[in-house]
Amino acid sequence: VQSRALDLAAIEAADWIASYHPRLGADLRWQNRPASIRGLKLDAPDTRQLALAEQTLNGFSDWQRSEGSPMPILANEQVHYLANTPLNSVIQLDTPAGPKDLRIVGFVYDYGNADLQFYLPKQQLLGLWPEAQMLGVGLWLEQPDNLKDIAALMQSIGASSGEWALQADIKRVS
């Protein structure tokens, strides 16, 4: 769901939603290019199954625990290939409190996205970028095969027509 006006309390209370993942993020610049930083909810289904194209020995587990110095961060493949940044590189990102060194411990598969993106656990993102905004939410439905009333259900959490798509439809089009 691509909306900044969702009712998280309604999402929490909805018996038709099995799980959800708020999409938090902030825009920034890195290497004189537009980039973004995203905060991931560690217990969300998509984070638990996050596929990495490449990672250091304990990259994903270090990232989940935010262990290591500099702080571990994940980046998308575009950072790796378009920005020519190898695994284990220490990069510097500008935060509201000033520059922060971070170590790239893994690269996330990111088909079709031309943007440079970085990923931190949600709490670390909010600690470094407290102004991060909710950009939308990923939803997992209790009964995904019963979608006849989906438009009304989406409206009940604040999503307007055109702000949401079913993953099956996206996959079919792609």
Side-chain angles (χ1 to χ4, degrees):
V1 180
Q2 301 284 335
S3 174
R4 295 178 185 224
L6 297 172
D7 183 345
L8 287 180
I11 291 172
E12 248 332 294
D15 62 358
W16 54 276
I17 297 175
S19 188
Y20 72 98
H21 188 175
R23 308 298 190 201
L24 299 175
D27 293 326
L28 51 101
R29 292 196 64 79
W30 182 68
Q31 292 189 347
N32 295 318
R33 298 178 188 183
S36 61
I37 182 87
R38 301 287 186 249
L40 304 183
K41 184 178 169 194
L42 293 177
D43 63 347
D46 55 343
T47 303
R48 288 193 317 261
Q49 298 172 354
L50 191 62
L52 298 179
E54 189 177 345
Q55 67 176 309
T56 60
L57 181 61
N58 296 313
F60 190 66
S61 59
D62 288 348
W63 175 84
Q64 288 176 303
R65 292 187 307 272
S66 296
E67 287 184 357
S69 181
M71 180 187 290
I73 193 168
L74 300 176
N76 67 357
E77 291 178 300
Q78 288 68 7
V79 170
H80 186 31
Y81 295 114
L82 297 179
N84 196 28
T85 308
L87 186 65
N88 220 21
S89 294
V90 174
I91 63 166
Q92 191 173 79
L93 296 179
D94 290 327
T95 75
K100 174 76 173 169
D101 287 341
L102 301 129
R103 182 177 306 280
I104 297 177
V105 297
F107 292 107
V108 176
Y109 286 112
D110 201 359
Y111 306 110
N113 181 4
D115 298 333
L116 304 176
Q117 290 187 332
F118 300 96
Y119 308 89
L120 286 171
K122 181 179 82 171
Q123 291 310 112
Q124 282 65 31
L125 172 83
L126 292 172
L128 294 171
W129 283 271
E131 82 289 355
Q133 300 288 313
M134 185 172 80
L135 306 172
V137 66
L139 299 175
W140 288 263
L141 308 182
E142 283 291 345
Q143 296 179 352
D145 297 332
N146 183 12
L147 299 175
K148 69 179 178 113
D149 297 323
I150 193 68
L153 293 171
M154 296 305 285
Q155 287 177 348
S156 75
I157 62 166
S160 300
S161 177
E163 291 183 328
W164 57 273
L166 297 172
Q167 186 180 47
D169 292 344
I170 295 169
K171 286 181 178 180
R172 188 172 38 256
V173 169
S174 67

